[in-house]
């Protein structure tokens, strides 16, 4: 895996980093990127009985009951009941919104800039059937420029997933009539042919676009009675280190371990507190690394051409990249 200059790609790798050794040191299997749809299919086939999965059932509010348990109101007005509610409903979590006593009329992406930090970037993503020439030795690549960059990774069975950052204001998609793939080809004109091989292999209808937001760590807590948050609902993360999904999976694992052997719902509060205590620091560090890594990557051209600062920046990346990888590839969380 490594980083290249998007326009000076013929100069070779700026930084190469090893993702295999940190995993082996921690006794972990090698990390594989997997398509989200494939992962969901695995969960449905081997993890969660299909009759337990209900779609089009968005949670809009909850109520901790005096007698124990939680009453949940769905978007269609239905009410459901359970011992606990895990709010794993993403960065625009209605569960988190209520937990923090925010105005219920100001939830969702329409109020994004009021309740989250805008990164300054829109992310375009796509998945395509493509096998790069160096696939046997390089699985993950990042191409840098000034105020834009692109990354890609192998996700198995001859598929590549890519993501591109462009400096759009929030909500710009509403007034951008240019087809997304056409715009990307224009914005990355003159960049590495490897990038355009990806674009050429991508079907226009699979390209997605979203504005990138995150938040500072939630000091107010992840818990309210028998309700707990998980994943982006409590620690939304910039995507450049791939830690959003990874942290959510770690959350789920730790929460499951904390709930093992529970005998009564009265124990939930204590178990949830132990879960938050175990996860807060690591998730917050992942947020910090992802945000700062993203800021560094998009300012590459400026760093490269600035005397003294440029070499220092490159030295910093080479020194701290292995430290970051060793931290993220940890079997203790």
């Amino acid at each position: 895996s490594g980083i290249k200059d998007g326009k000076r790609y013929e100069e070779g790798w700026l930084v190469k980093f090893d993702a295999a050794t940190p995993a082996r040191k921690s006794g972990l299997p090698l990390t594989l990127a997997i398509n989200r749809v494939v992962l969901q299919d695995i969960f449905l086939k081997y993890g969660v009985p299909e009759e337990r999965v209900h779609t089009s059932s968005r949670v809009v509010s909850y109520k901790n009951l005096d007698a124990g348990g939680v009453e949940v109101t769905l978007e269609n007005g239905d009410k459901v009941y359970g011992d606990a509610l895990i709010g794993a409903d993403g960065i625009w979590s209605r569960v988190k919104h209520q937990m923090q006593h925010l105005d219920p009329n100001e939830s969702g992406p329409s109020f994004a800039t009021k309740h989250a930090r805008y990164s300054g970037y829109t992310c375009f993503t796509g998945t395509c059937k493509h096998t790069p020439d160096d696939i046997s030795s390089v699985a993950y690549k990042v191409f840098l420029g000034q105020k834009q960059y692109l990354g890609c990774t192998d996700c198995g069975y001859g598929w590549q997933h890519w993501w591109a950052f462009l400096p759009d204001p929030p909500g710009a998609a509403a007034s951008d009539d240019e087809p997304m793939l056409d715009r990307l080809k224009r914005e990355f004109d003159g960049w590495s042919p490897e990038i355009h091989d990806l674009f050429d292999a991508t079907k226009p209808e699979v390209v997605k676009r979203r504005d990138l937001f995150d938040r500072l760590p939630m000091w107010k807590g992840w818990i309210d009675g028998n309700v707990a948050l998980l994943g982006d609902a409590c620690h939304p993360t910039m995507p450049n280190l791939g830690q959003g999904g990874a942290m959510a999976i770690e959350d789920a694992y730790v929460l499951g371990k904390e709930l093992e052997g529970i005998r009564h719902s009265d124990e939930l509060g204590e178990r949830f507190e132990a879960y938050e205590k175990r996860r807060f620091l690591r998730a917050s560090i992942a947020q910090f690394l992802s945000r700062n890594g993203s800021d560094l990557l998009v300012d590459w051209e400026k760093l490269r051409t600035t005397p003294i600062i440029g070499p220092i920046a490159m030295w910093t990346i080479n020194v701290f990249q292995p430290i970051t990888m060793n931290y993220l590839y940890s079997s203790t969380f």
Side-chain angles (χ1 to χ4, degrees):
S1 299
I3 299 173
K4 291 183 178 182
D5 188 305
K7 291 186 174 181
R8 299 169 182 81
Y9 52 89
E10 293 179 348
E11 296 176 5
W13 298 102
L14 297 169
V15 177
K16 295 186 76 173
F17 49 91
D18 176 12
T21 300
R24 292 192 180 105
K25 283 182 178 178
S26 296
L28 298 172
L30 297 185
T31 296
L32 300 174
I34 185 170
N35 188 292
R36 187 184 300 259
V37 175
V38 174
L39 182 61
Q40 290 171 341
D41 286 343
I42 291 171
F43 286 154
L44 287 173
K45 186 174 181 180
Y46 300 106
V48 183
E50 191 170 347
E51 62 271 16
R52 299 276 185 89
V53 178
H54 303 276
T55 57
S56 303
S57 303
R58 186 171 297 171
V59 172
V60 295
S61 65
Y62 67 85
K63 179 181 179 181
N64 279 297
L65 302 175
D66 293 338
V70 184
E71 175 190 273
V72 176
T73 302
L74 304 181
E75 200 169 43
N76 63 4
D78 288 351
K79 295 184 184 299
V80 295
Y81 300 85
D83 291 326
L85 170 66
I86 307 301
D89 46 344
I91 186 171
W92 311 123
S93 167
R94 296 292 290 269
V95 178
K96 188 273 311 179
H97 206 76
Q98 178 178 336
M99 189 179 289
Q100 293 197 321
H101 307 291
L102 300 174
D103 187 337
N105 297 313
E106 292 185 353
S107 64
S110 298
F111 297 90
T113 54
K114 185 171 183 178
H115 298 298
R117 300 187 302 175
Y118 185 52
S119 66
Y121 291 87
T122 289
C123 182
F124 296 79
T125 63
T127 304
C128 59
K129 194 77 171 178
H130 176 65
T131 303
D133 293 337
D134 57 359
I135 190 63
S136 62
S137 58
V138 183
Y140 176 92
K141 303 174 187 175
V142 176
F143 298 88
L144 302 182
Q146 180 58 20
K147 298 301 180 185
Q148 66 187 79
Y149 80 89
L150 181 140
C152 60
T153 186
D154 172 55
C155 52
Y157 302 101
W159 289 88
Q160 287 275 312
H161 178 70
W162 55 262
W163 56 97
F165 280 31
L166 292 177
D168 286 357
S175 58
D176 188 354
D177 296 327
E178 185 177 10
M180 289 185 284
L181 206 50
D182 290 348
R183 182 184 172 193
L184 289 167
K185 290 179 179 179
R186 175 175 58 81
E187 296 278 9
F188 286 91
D189 183 43
W191 285 52
S192 169
E194 294 180 74
I195 293 174
H196 291 275
D197 288 343
L198 292 169
F199 291 158
D200 291 341
T202 303
K203 296 179 180 179
E205 61 269 21
V206 306
V207 181
K208 301 290 189 294
R209 170 180 182 163
R210 72 184 189 278
D211 294 337
L212 295 177
F213 290 85
D214 68 357
R215 293 192 184 94
L216 293 170
M218 275 183 57
W219 304 106
K220 293 183 180 180
W222 303 0
I223 302 164
D224 176 20
N226 283 12
V227 181
L229 300 176
L230 184 150
D232 277 355
C234 48
H235 47 72
T237 305
M238 290 291 287
N240 61 292
L241 289 178
Q243 291 304 301
M247 289 296 112
I249 292 171
E250 288 187 10
D251 286 352
Y253 176 83
V254 171
L255 180 60
K257 297 300 287 185
E258 290 296 337
L259 293 177
E260 279 183 353
I262 192 168
R263 301 177 65 86
H264 195 277
S265 59
D266 288 348
E267 301 175 46
L268 282 169
E270 180 182 348
R271 302 295 184 104
F272 283 168
E273 287 176 6
Y275 151 71
E276 180 184 4
K277 185 176 181 180
R278 285 179 61 182
R279 291 298 302 150
F280 179 80
L281 180 60
R282 180 167 167 83
S284 298
I285 291 173
Q287 285 181 285
F288 171 80
L289 292 172
S290 297
R291 178 70 178 212
N292 284 274
S294 177
D295 291 343
L296 183 65
L297 291 176
V298 295
D299 281 330
W300 158 244
E301 184 68 17
K302 187 177 186 179
L303 288 172
R304 188 189 70 82
T305 56
T306 302
I308 301 177
I309 293 178
I312 292 174
M314 286 307 305
W315 177 86
T316 301
I317 292 173
N318 277 286
V319 168
F320 283 96
Q321 186 70 36
I323 296 172
T324 299
M325 300 301 288
N326 279 310
Y327 179 76
L328 295 176
Y329 284 86
S330 169
S331 59
T332 304
F333 48 79

